[in-house]
């Protein structure tokens, strides 16, 4: 992955500052900051997304739009449909998976002499700015097909548990 230089970064929001993350469908007005009610502005950044599927967890750097920032407080509202699409594209062969977005990748924190190196190598760690008070669990599930999973089959979320002891239980408990 080629890194952006500071001259190329057209975003006015300092991503080195940790932010509280909200999903667009979980706030009352997705155009306004849920803390101070100021108008949100779109910023194009790179995010770290993790996806659980078939018993494994993969991480992806996804970028572009989908993040709306408050100029007055450390808040970002992520557009759920945008990140659903990122996850679906990444998992095109999986029928069911869960995902979460852990933070913003601060590309400007990468020293000029290391911008040609891939992330996560010994001398070039991923400059992740995690979201504030962010749970370290994968919470957002996508089920693309209405395929029925047998109660005694392994849960498609990848937990290793039987379906009846995992997601089937969660689905039943949320109905009441």
């Amino acid at each position: 992955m080629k890194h952006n230089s500071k001259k190329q970064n057209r975003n006015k929001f300092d991503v080195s500052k940790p932010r509280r993350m909200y999903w667009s469908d979980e706030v009352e007005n997705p155009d306004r900051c849920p803390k101070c009610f100021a108008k949100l502005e779109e910023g194009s950044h790179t995010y770290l997304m993790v996806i659980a599927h078939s018993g494994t967890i993969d991480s992806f750097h996804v970028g572009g739009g989908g993040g709306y920032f408050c100029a007055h407080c450390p808040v970002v509202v992520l557009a759920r449909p945008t990140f659903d699409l990122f996850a679906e594209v990444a998992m095109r062969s999986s029928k069911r998976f869960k995902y979460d977005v852990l933070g913003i990748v601060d590309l400007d924190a990468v020293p000029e002499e290391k911008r040609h190196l891939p992330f996560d190598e010994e001398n070039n760690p991923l400059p992740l700015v995690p979201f504030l008070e962010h749970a370290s669990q994968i919470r957002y599930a996508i089920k693309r097909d209405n395929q029925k999973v047998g109660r005694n089959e392994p849960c498609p979320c990848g937990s290793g548990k039987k379906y009846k002891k995992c997601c089937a239980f969660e689905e039943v408990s949320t109905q009441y």
Side-chain angles (χ1 to χ4, degrees):
M1 164 185 258
K2 196 163 188 160
H3 308 301
N4 294 335
S5 70
K6 288 187 180 192
K7 292 177 185 174
Q8 292 173 325
N9 189 352
R10 300 175 302 169
N11 294 297
K12 67 180 190 175
F13 299 103
D14 180 10
V15 296
S16 67
K17 177 171 64 170
R19 298 177 180 277
R20 186 162 281 108
M21 185 274 283
Y22 297 89
W23 287 107
S24 59
D25 60 347
E26 295 174 351
V27 295
E28 190 173 320
N29 183 347
D31 297 325
R32 298 278 176 182
C33 175
K35 291 291 184 190
C36 71
F37 305 107
K39 184 151 179 60
L40 297 172
E41 300 176 49
E42 187 170 15
S44 180
H45 292 286
T46 301
Y47 301 89
L48 179 64
M49 174 183 271
V50 291
I51 301 176
H53 64 97
S54 306
T56 63
I57 297 178
D58 292 318
S59 63
F60 298 90
H61 307 134
V62 296
Y68 298 85
F69 293 79
C70 180
H72 304 288
C73 53
V75 165
V76 61
V77 176
L78 299 182
R80 169 98 63 197
T82 301
F83 286 87
D84 284 351
L85 183 61
F86 286 151
E88 286 181 23
V89 168
M91 295 283 93
R92 62 186 170 269
S93 62
S94 293
K95 301 281 185 230
R96 187 173 170 144
F97 53 88
K98 294 181 179 182
Y99 76 92
D100 203 356
V101 180
L102 301 182
I104 301 173
V105 178
D106 184 4
L107 296 174
D108 290 338
V110 179
E112 188 73 38
E113 66 274 6
K114 293 187 178 183
R115 293 192 177 172
H116 68 284
L117 298 173
F119 286 134
D120 296 332
E121 288 200 352
E122 184 177 317
N123 295 323
N124 198 27
L126 180 69
L128 179 67
V129 180
F131 292 125
L132 295 172
E133 298 177 14
H134 191 72
S136 61
Q137 56 182 299
I138 298 175
R139 301 175 293 185
Y140 306 103
I142 292 180
K143 185 176 177 184
R144 289 196 282 187
D145 290 337
N146 289 332
Q147 289 183 332
K148 187 169 180 170
V149 178
R151 291 175 35 81
N152 289 316
E153 291 179 28
C155 188
C157 77
S159 67
K161 298 178 185 177
K162 287 185 178 182
Y163 179 66
K164 67 182 178 184
K165 298 279 188 180
C166 191
C167 291
F169 178 76
E170 291 174 12
E171 289 171 7
V172 170
S173 64
T174 60
Q175 291 174 359
Y176 299 100

